[in-house]
């Protein structure tokens, strides 16, 4: 007998109409590199999700923090002072293509960018993964829940950062449990099955 697929999670994952990849940049990678093996496995799952979405014609949105200091917008003699630091490069092999959407935000939640909210409001549901789960993915899942948008968190296509009193793996377990309060949680393999060609009526899982 094959592995049992939770039907509730399957239905939630199958509703994904957009893939959202968070902060797949080199600086985020180095900040989360406390457990390199787990992080690299997470990025491999990100690659699998991105390739699947491209093959399926599913739109992909990449999000990243906007560069700029806290003094941005301070007016001196009619001039705005803005710290225009260069964006960190995308992680090799995980770069957006010209057909993908890229959203910048100044807060952890992807909804901090109004254009992101406009897109998701039209689509209604999305899957999310990337760096870092305990911050960006959690904040986005909470905001999505408040708006009635359905989210599938790809737990193995995301990573968390170690904290002062907790290693990265422990933080990720807690983050996943918190996200589960606001979103469906699935593995990437599960999501790939759920968003592939729909099975014939009457097919059983488990």
């Amino acid at each position: 007998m094959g592995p049992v697929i939770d039907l509730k999670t399957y239905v939630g994952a199958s509703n994904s109409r957009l893939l959202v990849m968070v902060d797949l940049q080199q600086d985020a990678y180095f900040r989360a590199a406390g457990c390199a093996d787990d992080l690299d496995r997470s990025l491999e799952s990100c690659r699998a999700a991105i390739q699947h979405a491209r093959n399926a014609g599913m739109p992909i949105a990449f999000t990243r923090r906007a560069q700029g200091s806290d003094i941005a917008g301070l007016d001196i003699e009619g001039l705005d002072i803005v710290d225009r630091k260069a964006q960190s490069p995308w992680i090799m092999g995980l770069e957006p293509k010209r057909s993908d959407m890229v959203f910048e935000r100044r807060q952890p939640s992807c909804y901090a960018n109004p254009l992101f909210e406009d897109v998701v409001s039209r689509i209604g549901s999305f899957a999310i993964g990337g760096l870092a789960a305990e911050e960006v993915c959690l904040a986005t899942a909470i905001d999505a829940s408040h708006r009635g948008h359905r989210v599938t968190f790809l737990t193995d296509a995301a990573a968390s950062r170690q904290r002062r009193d907790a290693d990265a793996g422990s933080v990720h377990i807690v983050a996943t449990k918190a996200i589960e309060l606001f979103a469906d949680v699935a593995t990437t393999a599960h999501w790939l099955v759920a968003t592939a060609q729909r099975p014939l009526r009457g097919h059983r899982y488990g």
Side-chain angles (χ1 to χ4, degrees), residues 111 126 139-151 181-183:
Y111 285 89
F126 60 93
T140 302
I142 292 172
D143 280 351
S145 177
H146 291 166
R147 290 161 173 78
H149 299 158
R150 189 155 192 172
V151 182
L181 298 173
F182 306 97

Side-chain angles (χ1 to χ4, degrees), residues 57-124:
M58 184 184 298
I60 305 173
F62 289 79
T63 79
R64 61 187 179 184
R65 287 296 290 259
Q67 294 297 321
S69 70
D70 291 337
I71 65 171
L74 177 63
D75 184 83
I76 298 180
E77 296 183 354
L79 297 177
D80 287 339
I81 297 179
V82 180
D83 180 7
R84 301 191 180 278
K85 297 179 182 177
Q87 280 280 4
S88 174
W90 299 101
I91 297 170
M92 186 176 299
L94 295 171
E95 308 93 340
K97 293 188 175 181
R98 292 177 63 89
S99 58
D100 299 328
M101 296 172 282
V102 178
F103 298 98
E104 294 190 345
R105 62 186 201 283
R106 293 196 175 276
Q107 300 296 329
S109 173
C110 297
Y111 285 89
N113 186 315
L115 294 178
F116 177 87
E117 181 166 3
D118 288 346
V119 169
V120 176
S121 293
R122 292 195 298 269
I123 295 175

Side-chain angles (χ1 to χ4, degrees), residues 4-86:
V4 175
I5 296 178
D6 185 308
L7 185 58
K8 178 180 177 293
T9 303
Y10 175 87
V11 172
S14 68
N15 285 330
S16 302
R17 296 290 177 266
L18 169 71
L19 177 64
V20 177
M21 289 278 100
V22 171
D23 293 355
L24 295 181
Q25 296 167 272
Q26 291 180 13
D27 61 349
Y29 176 88
F30 291 120
R31 286 198 302 271
C35 186
D37 289 343
D38 287 347
L39 179 57
D40 288 342
R41 282 194 292 269
S42 297
L43 295 182
E44 282 302 314
S45 293
C46 288
R47 288 187 180 90
I50 290 170
Q51 189 59 53
H52 173 77
R54 295 200 199 287
N55 292 342
M58 184 184 298
I60 305 173
F62 289 79
T63 79
R64 61 187 179 184
R65 287 296 290 259
Q67 294 297 321
S69 70
D70 291 337
I71 65 171
L74 177 63
D75 184 83
I76 298 180
E77 296 183 354
L79 297 177
D80 287 339
I81 297 179
V82 180
D83 180 7
R84 301 191 180 278
K85 297 179 182 177

